[in-house]
Amino acid sequence: MSGEKPRIIIAGAPASGKGTQCELIVEKFGVVHISTGDALRAQVKAETELGMKAKEFMESGGLVPDELIIGIVKARLAEDDCKTKGWLLDGFPRTGVQAEAMIGAGIHATHFVLLEVPDEILVERCVGRRSDPDTGKIYHLKFHPPPEDDAELMARLVHRADDTAEAMGNRIKSYHENVKAVTPFYERLMQTFDGQAEKTGIADKVAAFLGTTPSSSGGASGGASRGGTSGGERGGGAVPRILMA
């Protein structure tokens, strides 16, 4: 991709394998992986003006407004590591409103990576997940089962309260509504990948895509509407640009 640094947005539903692909993209391209949650917490910890404003909303249990989130993302992307290495923006923008605001703030991606997995597979992946609170390791009762002969491990495995078919269905519905509003802004930069394929196979195809130049302008498609709900965040040189929702 010539001498330009990657600026990547990646999008995918819960349990789509987005986290794994983010790790592989960082390993392959050396870009800075950024989630809005991490950027928000860093601003609060540093007690910046943006961070202090966001903290007020977080402590009251409210959503941090889009304009604050955009400001925090813009500040993070302006840091030296993002300028010299490029960046991978994970799960943002979440809504059409955020996408439009991000473009208006002068934040332009070079690539948009979209992972697609059928809803029923997403539910199956999610419902079978179990986590080890001691190690942080994630298992799956079908796809990556824990060792049944380890009674101590089996006893402490946790099934998250939101890893149910009903909760997952609601999360998937919200994701589809939001990503439908975001993608029109990035049509010229976007490629869709089959998230059911083997992870290294997906990674190889993503890497090939990131080695191309989808848009000479590096901008988003024009004329998209301000779709999607307001997506405030709740508290709790050129480099390749990758966007994942």
Side-chain angles (χ1 to χ4, degrees), residues 12-23:
S16 64
K18 179 163 63 69
T20 296
Q21 292 306 313
C22 284
E23 292 176 3

Side-chain angles (χ1 to χ4, degrees), residues 67-245:
E67 58 267 26
L68 272 181
I69 293 297
I70 293 292
I72 287 170
V73 170
K74 187 173 183 179
R76 180 65 185 92
L77 298 182
E79 293 183 22
D80 289 343
D81 57 347
C82 290
K83 291 180 178 180
T84 59
K85 297 178 180 179
W87 44 262
L88 170 60
L89 197 50
D90 181 357
F92 189 84
R94 294 181 186 275
T95 68
V97 171
Q98 290 179 344
E100 187 171 35
M102 195 168 97
I103 294 164
I107 304 171
H108 299 292
T110 52
H111 299 75
F112 189 109
V113 175
L114 179 62
L115 296 176
E116 288 196 342
V117 178
D119 291 356
E120 61 271 19
I121 300 299
L122 294 171
V123 172
E124 183 180 28
R125 287 179 176 181
C126 183
V127 171
R129 286 194 300 209
R130 301 291 187 274
S131 60
D132 180 351
D134 287 1
T135 66
K137 190 170 184 179
I138 304 295
Y139 296 94
H140 191 281
L141 299 181
K142 178 179 179 180
F143 303 117
H144 179 47
E148 294 185 0
D149 57 352
D150 188 338
E152 186 177 341
L153 167 64
M154 295 297 291
R156 68 173 182 259
L157 290 179
V158 174
H159 184 207
R160 279 176 39 174
D162 59 348
D163 276 353
T164 64
E166 181 179 4
M168 187 61 175
N170 292 332
R171 293 163 67 192
I172 291 171
K173 180 181 178 181
S174 178
Y175 164 76
H176 283 313
E177 291 173 352
N178 287 331
V179 81
K180 183 178 180 181
V182 169
T183 52
F185 290 92
Y186 297 99
E187 287 176 343
R188 287 182 292 146
L189 313 176
M190 183 173 68
Q191 186 161 321
T192 300
F193 299 87
D194 179 6
Q196 295 186 85
E198 196 273 328
K199 65 181 181 181
T200 57
I202 299 172
D204 288 344
K205 291 179 179 179
V206 169
F209 170 57
L210 297 180
T212 67
T213 306
S215 170
S216 59
S217 67
S221 300
S225 64
R226 291 171 57 94
T229 58
S230 177
E233 301 291 328
R234 192 175 294 279
V239 177
R241 299 165 293 191
I242 307 167
L243 178 55
M244 291 187 160

